[in-house]
Amino acid sequence: MKENKEKKKSGKEEKMDSDVKELVKMRLSTIPKGLSVSIGSWGNFKVEDLIRHVEMEDEIGKSIVEIDMEFLRDLKNGKLYEQIAFDNQT
Amino acid sequence: MSKSLLITRPNYEITTRYLYVWNKEVIKEAKNRGIGVMDLRREKANKKEFTGRMIKVNPALVLLNGHGGNECVRGHNDEIIVRAGDNEEILKGKIIYALSCQSALLLGPKSMEAGSIAFIGYSRNFVFFTDDSKISRSENDKVAKLFLDPSNRLSISLVKGNAIFEAVRKSKKHFSENIRKLLNSDVSPQDYSSSLVPYLAWDMKYQVCHGNQNACF
């Protein structure tokens, strides 16, 4: 039973949560048309390319999901506002 | 150590073109202050030139621009110019700022072991947005400016002789200001969008500094 739970858990971790994926894709679609993004050594991408990479769950897609989800977490736990408020005062 | 700076500016695709153009401001500031500038631009941003100039001129400040990885910085056409485990000792005794993805993760600490004064860089990918309509006039790209100006603040602050902690503070403050600007609903939706905030926050968060933060150029 324990082994099955562990297998199930690791299966979840390997595949992106579908809700997270849809959320990130939706948020990407709010980026203004006519913009592209340079991501590390991977190169330049239009927003529609990013949405496709998120859908494919490849390294680029995972990277975008990580950036967006980390932002949302930092927003929720107040870390982002702490940082920008601190930088405003110094 | 000579009070001179060495800067690499490869320019062979969109990302490097933006870094090439954006760093002109840094070079101008250095020259205005009478600082000797070794500008390894375009095809001169190669390992042979880099190594030769670093040995011959021994600059105190090194600004590396280009693609990279957690253990290296690349120059023109993706040629690796400095790599942990290969030639990081060339960074000994210098202050380095690398606008090169992830290089602060491994190359940063390795350069400290080799005797660098400080290594400022990014421990994850550096991400920036560009306006497709401004590709041929990158210097007018207000979207890229949101991301690249904070980086320039850091370089220029170092060139001005500010302590490293002060240069980093100014850079992060600039990132914060741009984030606040984007979150302000009054700005024009044409040039700015709060949807870019996660990426600015990411770059700000993963700008790191190894070494002596009280040192200055």
Side-chain angles (χ1 to χ4, degrees):
Chain A
M1 179 81 81
K2 189 179 173 184
E3 196 179 301
N4 284 342
K5 277 189 180 173
E6 280 172 353
K7 275 189 183 169
K8 195 176 176 184
K9 185 183 174 186
S10 75
K12 262 193 186 171
E13 283 169 359
E14 285 167 7
K15 194 155 171 53
M16 210 182 278
D17 185 297
S18 60
D19 288 341
V20 166
K21 197 158 94 172
E22 291 310 309
L23 174 64
V24 173
K25 282 165 60 182
M26 186 274 296
R27 285 170 53 75
L28 283 171
S29 67
T30 66
I31 294 173
K33 297 276 183 285
L35 300 190
S36 293
V37 63
S38 165
I39 308 174
S41 299
W42 285 320
N44 238 52
F45 303 89
K46 295 203 185 304
V47 174
E48 46 268 37
D49 295 328
L50 294 184
I51 293 173
R52 199 164 29 85
H53 282 290
V54 169
E55 180 57 44
M56 291 193 308
E57 297 187 28
D58 60 15
E59 289 306 305
I60 297 167
K62 285 178 185 172
S63 177
I64 293 296
V65 168
E66 186 182 9
I67 292 171
D68 213 23
M69 293 313 293
E70 194 158 311
F71 164 74
L72 291 174
R73 274 194 294 273
D74 285 350
L75 198 60
K76 182 186 171 189
N77 62 27
K79 272 187 189 173
L80 179 65
Y81 283 111
E82 263 176 37
Q83 183 69 59
I84 62 177
F86 173 75
D87 288 336
N88 190 33
Q89 287 164 16
T90 56
Chain B
M1 195 75 55
S2 68
K3 190 154 172 115
S4 58
L5 90 88
L6 182 145
I7 181 169
T8 62
R9 293 196 298 150
N11 179 0
Y12 56 98
E13 39 76 85
I14 294 174
T15 298
T16 50
R17 182 193 306 160
Y18 268 82
L19 302 189
Y20 173 90
V21 167
W22 231 259
N23 273 278
K24 285 183 181 176
E25 184 191 10
V26 178
I27 292 171
K28 187 179 173 186
E29 179 70 35
K31 287 184 174 177
N32 284 347
R33 290 175 171 269
I35 293 167
V37 177
M38 215 100 29
D39 181 12
L40 299 187
R41 59 179 180 268
R42 297 195 183 98
E43 63 279 357
K44 283 199 182 296
N46 61 65
K47 187 175 180 180
K48 187 180 172 187
E49 283 281 345
F50 176 71
T51 306
R53 301 294 184 107
M54 288 286 275
I55 292 170
K56 188 174 178 183
V57 180
N58 198 15
L61 177 61
V62 180
L63 304 177
L64 302 171
N65 294 284
H67 291 297
N70 55 24
E71 87 287 6
C72 70
V73 172
R74 297 174 185 270
H76 193 67
N77 285 344
D78 270 358
E79 180 187 355
I80 292 175
I81 60 171
V82 61
R83 182 184 203 139
D86 177 23
N87 63 339
E88 73 271 24
E89 67 280 355
I90 208 168
L91 303 175
K92 181 180 178 179
K94 300 166 192 335
I95 296 169
I96 302 107
Y97 171 47
L99 183 49
S100 184
C101 296
Q102 301 183 37
S103 57
L105 195 59
L106 278 180
L107 179 60
K110 280 292 182 184
S111 75
M112 299 313 305
E113 284 176 28
S116 299
I117 294 171
F119 187 107
I120 310 148
Y122 298 85
S123 56
R124 303 298 296 271
N125 281 336
F126 183 84
V127 179
F128 68 96
F129 277 78
T130 58
D131 182 341
D132 295 344
S133 69
K134 299 285 193 297
I135 293 280
S136 59
R137 287 168 292 127
S138 332
E139 63 275 15
N140 295 334
D141 190 333
K142 289 182 187 175
V143 175
K145 185 180 170 73
L146 293 167
F147 295 83
L148 297 179
D149 256 8
S151 171
N152 269 16
R153 286 314 116 224
L154 199 158
S155 301
I156 288 171
S157 186
L158 290 174
V159 162
K160 285 181 175 179
N162 290 319
I164 289 168
F165 77 85
E166 182 65 17
V168 168
R169 186 193 68 80
K170 287 188 176 190
S171 176
K172 293 207 175 191
K173 186 174 178 183
H174 205 106
F175 273 118
S176 293
E177 284 167 357
N178 289 349
I179 287 171
R180 282 196 298 276
K181 193 190 294 183
L182 290 182
L183 292 175
N184 181 346
S185 58
D186 291 337
V187 298
S188 160
Q190 203 66 21
D191 296 322
Y192 306 102
S193 167
S194 60
S195 56
L196 304 185
V197 168
Y199 305 91
L200 273 172
W202 176 268
D203 289 343
M204 178 176 74
K205 185 175 183 178
Y206 289 105
Q207 185 191 84
V208 299
C209 177
H210 301 285
N212 181 2
Q213 301 206 31
N214 291 312
C216 51
F217 171 52

